Amino acid sequence: DAKTTQPNSMESNEEEPVHLPCNHSTISGTDYIHWYRQLPSQGPEYVIHGLTSNVNNRMASLAIAEDRKSSTLILHRATLRDAAVYYCIHDSGGGADGLTFGKGTHLIIQP
Amino acid sequence: DSGVTQTPKHLITATGQRVTLRCSPRSGDLSVYWYQQSLDQGLQFLIQYYNGEERAKGNILERFSAQQFPDLHSELNLSSLELGDSALYFCASSGTSGLSHEQFFGPGTRLTVL
């Protein structure tokens, strides 16, 4: 099983950047890194994915270490609506298969 | 709104019974995935269908089965229900069987087995 390690929880203040770390030391060359988040009482929601290069989209940025054994999801300016469980997923199926979710990081945003 | 619909929202039933959960994917999406989320096991992938055919299997019990119909909607059948089957069941869809990195999740069906 592709395994990732994330902190159980993190706390940040509103309107500040948030850096959510993830270790995926067993990653191989063609495995993608996906991030999803799950807001309370909702289904998971795609945030971003990457392979080797850093990636940006309207929701977040993904910084991938040079050795690809870790990555960081960056929320540039957290809002209260970003409070959620964030899942880092190491995907060896090329994006086509079912995702293996770990326990994720519970992000708490303080006003 | 992800565009994925699931019915019913809530289901309460008794041990030993059989239930069917339904999922309609986003318009045009060919792949449907089923996941189970329980407090002790977290989110687990159960099974994937692509354009009517089973494509990948995860931690799906033999008591559970699924199918995808020609109109691309999918059903998850759970039989001989046990207390431990109480969970949130999510359906997700994506555009193709290969190279699609974004799965769109529905709101889930909460199953309670008494």
Side-chain angles (χ1 to χ4, degrees), chain B residues 42-93:
Chain B
L43 254 167
Q44 289 201 94
F45 166 63
L46 297 178
I47 196 164
Q48 179 202 358
Y49 278 81
Y50 172 73
N51 203 20
E53 300 288 326
E54 181 185 303
R55 189 184 181 281
K57 252 183 173 174
N59 298 321
I60 189 165
L61 300 172
E62 284 192 13
R63 299 184 286 109
F64 296 0
S65 65
Q67 53 184 322
Q68 186 179 27
F69 294 87
D71 67 352
L72 300 177
H73 91 270
S74 177
E75 292 181 357
L76 179 67
N77 301 296
L78 315 176
S79 61
S80 303
L81 285 168
E82 301 174 1
L83 295 177
D85 298 327
S86 295
L88 263 170
Y89 291 83
F90 289 105
C91 164
S93 74

Side-chain angles (χ1 to χ4, degrees), chain B residues 96-112:
Chain B
T96 64
S97 74
L99 304 186
S100 174
H101 291 281
E102 184 172 356
Q103 292 185 18
F104 295 86
F105 283 76
T109 292
R110 182 173 293 281
L111 173 66
T112 303

Side-chain angles (χ1 to χ4, degrees), chain A residues 10-13 16-20 61 72-79 82 86 107-109:
Chain A
M10 288 184 66
E11 203 166 305
S12 183
N13 295 319
E16 289 186 357
V18 180
H19 288 64
L20 295 164
S61 296
T72 302
L73 179 72
I74 303 163
L75 307 179
H76 294 286
R77 202 162 161 264
T79 70
D82 290 321
Y86 285 78
L107 178 64
I108 299 162
I109 304 294

